[in-house]
Amino acid sequence: MLFRLVDGTPCFEVFRLLNLELLHFLEAAVNKNDFDRQLFTEGAIGDACWANENTLDKFQKLFENLGDADDDTKEKLFLTMQNNQDLEVFFGNPQRELLDFLNADCRNSLKELSLHLYSATKDLVPVVAAAGGININSHFSEYRSLTNNGNVCKACGMEKLAVIRGGIPEQRQWRSDYDHQLCKSKYPIFSVHPYNLIPLCSVCNQYAKKAKDLFKSRDGNTRVAFYPYSEEARGLVDIEISNLSDPEPATRVIWSTQNAVALEKLETWDEVYEIRSRVEAELCSIENIIIDEIDPIDEAHLISRIQDEARPIAEETFKRKEWVFWYQKLFAALELVELAPFAAKLGFMQEQGADGGEFILSGG
């Protein structure tokens, strides 16, 4: 993550309750041979799972497949989920082969149940009521409030989470999807874990990350990743500019640390969300950025405005304005280079643009 989630980020109570229900079910199933109501918790969540035909069917299928497996499979699955509830610990020591002891039928039925809990059971009226009436739209609204995380994607800092429309009630506002940091296909026991689900922008979630495994590198080895509630990349990245006087200056995202673990986490973050390629594509035309953002009158004005734009950014601005982190890094890098040749080239470009505009307006 570029920015860690703020302290006190609201936990979605529906996910917390469904996660506890799944854990309870797996524990109750260890010593049960018959599928009945006693496998579920007493109260609204257990009642809702038992009363909803589709949800119940998914639970029963998992129960039957676990019963057909080896004698210790039920207990091993329960203990695996129970012993890995602390996701910060799991991020520190990821276990990619966590569920390899399950046979294909058990694994598939667990995936189907977990996906159903996330996609459908979370919206059942009794489930939402048991969670204080806070549905996922209300939770998203609270998550992205300025007092919490704001409306800029925490993973990349480049995109808004959602376009907010004036005059539209909360329940009808658009929202971003919730990304499973630990992907559902590989880690189904975390499908409704409340700290595994984080709203991300559509570019990060749908185009870049998809179902990538945070803990599997391109060469198939286990790797580590930033834990989004306590770790972030922002203090470990910079922009480097070279060949500023050339027709096409080079802009690169670089890592500003020598710590081996931090470097591995940065590489994971970059590979999962395609950070470098997205940033470097946006910042490839420095001249156009300066014209659009500064429109300098002369070299002195250029230097003064670059200094202004390179100043530290207020925390609230990071939450409100996409790309502001990366633009500040770009201008901070520009402060460190010789600008006279670049200013001359920029002045020529502006003069040519003005002459072209006057030519067009004169009907030439």
Side-chain angles (χ1 to χ4, degrees), residues 209-226:
K209 184 173 183 286
K210 297 182 180 178
K212 291 176 182 174
D213 188 341
L214 282 182
F215 304 120
K216 180 181 179 181
S217 64
R218 286 192 180 99
D219 57 13
N221 293 324
T222 297
R223 63 186 177 187
V224 289
F226 291 117

Side-chain angles (χ1 to χ4, degrees), residues 258-275:
Q258 297 301 315
N259 181 276
V261 175
L263 286 170
E264 185 175 341
K265 291 179 179 181
L266 285 164
E267 291 296 333
T268 299
W269 171 61
D270 175 46
E271 191 273 324
V272 169
Y273 299 112
E274 302 189 29
I275 299 298

Side-chain angles (χ1 to χ4, degrees), residues 146-163:
L146 197 57
T147 54
N148 286 309
N149 295 291
N151 198 31
V152 176
C153 179
K154 291 290 188 178
C156 68
M158 305 176 212
E159 305 285 341
K160 287 188 179 295
L161 291 176
V163 174

Side-chain angles (χ1 to χ4, degrees), residues 335-348:
E335 269 195 308
L336 303 177
V337 299
E338 173 57 47
L339 289 170
F342 181 71
K345 182 177 68 171
L346 193 63
F348 176 77

Side-chain angles (χ1 to χ4, degrees), residues 5-300:
L5 276 65
V6 300
D7 295 335
T9 291
C11 170
F12 187 27
E13 182 67 4
V14 166
F15 289 152
R16 190 186 73 83
L17 293 174
L18 289 177
N19 185 64
L20 288 175
E21 188 67 35
L22 177 59
L23 187 60
H24 174 91
F25 175 85
L26 294 178
E27 181 179 23
V30 172
N31 296 312
K32 286 278 290 182
N33 295 319
D34 299 319
F35 183 82
D36 57 30
R37 176 64 181 80
Q38 294 178 0
L39 289 164
F40 300 88
T41 59
E42 296 293 332
I45 302 299
D47 288 344
C49 291
W50 181 257
N52 183 266
E53 182 178 351
N54 289 331
T55 301
L56 187 64
D57 177 69
K58 302 295 188 298
F59 273 107
Q60 185 168 5
K61 188 174 181 180
L62 174 60
F63 181 83
E64 292 171 351
N65 284 330
L66 288 173
D68 292 337
D70 296 338
D71 292 340
D72 62 346
T73 298
K74 287 182 180 180
E75 183 175 15
K76 192 169 183 179
L77 178 56
F78 162 65
L79 291 175
T80 298
M81 184 171 178
Q82 181 188 56
N83 294 338
N84 288 283
Q85 286 296 292
D86 189 332
L87 290 194
E88 186 167 16
V89 171
F90 189 86
F91 269 68
N93 183 30
Q95 306 294 316
R96 290 188 48 246
E97 313 307 324
L98 199 65
L99 299 174
D100 280 7
F101 64 90
L102 292 176
N103 63 36
D105 288 339
C106 290
R107 182 184 291 269
N108 290 334
S109 57
L110 177 61
K111 288 180 183 178
E112 289 178 8
L113 170 60
S114 299
L115 177 60
H116 184 79
L117 291 174
Y118 169 73
S119 62
T121 309
K122 76 175 188 302
D123 297 319
L124 294 178
V125 172
V127 172
V128 174
I134 305 297
N135 65 12
I136 198 164
N137 285 56
S138 299
H139 177 262
F140 176 70
S141 180
E142 185 179 3
Y143 171 93
R144 61 156 292 277
S145 67
L146 197 57
T147 54
N148 286 309
N149 295 291
N151 198 31
V152 176
C153 179
K154 291 290 188 178
C156 68
M158 305 176 212
E159 305 285 341
K160 287 188 179 295
L161 291 176
V163 174
I164 306 303
R165 298 166 293 163
I168 303 296
E170 177 183 276
Q171 297 303 318
R172 291 174 52 205
Q173 289 285 0
W174 296 324
R175 67 170 177 84
S176 70
D177 289 333
Y178 281 54
D179 172 70
H180 287 80
Q181 290 285 285
L182 305 178
C183 58
K184 300 186 295 295
S185 59
K186 180 70 177 176
Y187 307 97
I189 58 172
F190 301 126
S191 285
V192 285
H193 193 296
Y195 297 110
N196 187 37
L197 291 134
I198 298 172
L200 296 184
C201 71
S202 60
V203 176
C204 281
N205 192 14
Q206 298 174 24
Y207 296 103
K209 184 173 183 286
K210 297 182 180 178
K212 291 176 182 174
D213 188 341
L214 282 182
F215 304 120
K216 180 181 179 181
S217 64
R218 286 192 180 99
D219 57 13
N221 293 324
T222 297
R223 63 186 177 187
V224 289
F226 291 117
Y227 181 61
Y229 286 85
S230 60
E231 297 179 303
E232 59 186 9
R234 72 160 140 181
L236 307 174
V237 297
D238 278 310
I239 297 294
E240 181 181 77
I241 300 171
S242 59
N243 304 323
L244 189 59
S245 59
D246 288 358
E248 294 184 3
T251 304
R252 295 176 55 242
V253 176
I254 61 171
W255 309 145
S256 55
T257 179
Q258 297 301 315
N259 181 276
V261 175
L263 286 170
E264 185 175 341
K265 291 179 179 181
L266 285 164
E267 291 296 333
T268 299
W269 171 61
D270 175 46
E271 191 273 324
V272 169
Y273 299 112
E274 302 189 29
I275 299 298
R276 276 187 167 125
S277 61
R278 291 163 63 189
V279 173
E280 290 171 5
E282 171 75 12
L283 304 185
C284 66
S285 180
I286 297 176
E287 296 93 341
N288 289 339
I289 290 173
I290 288 179
I291 291 171
D292 292 342
E293 299 294 318
I294 294 177
D295 193 19
I297 300 170
D298 52 29
E299 183 179 340

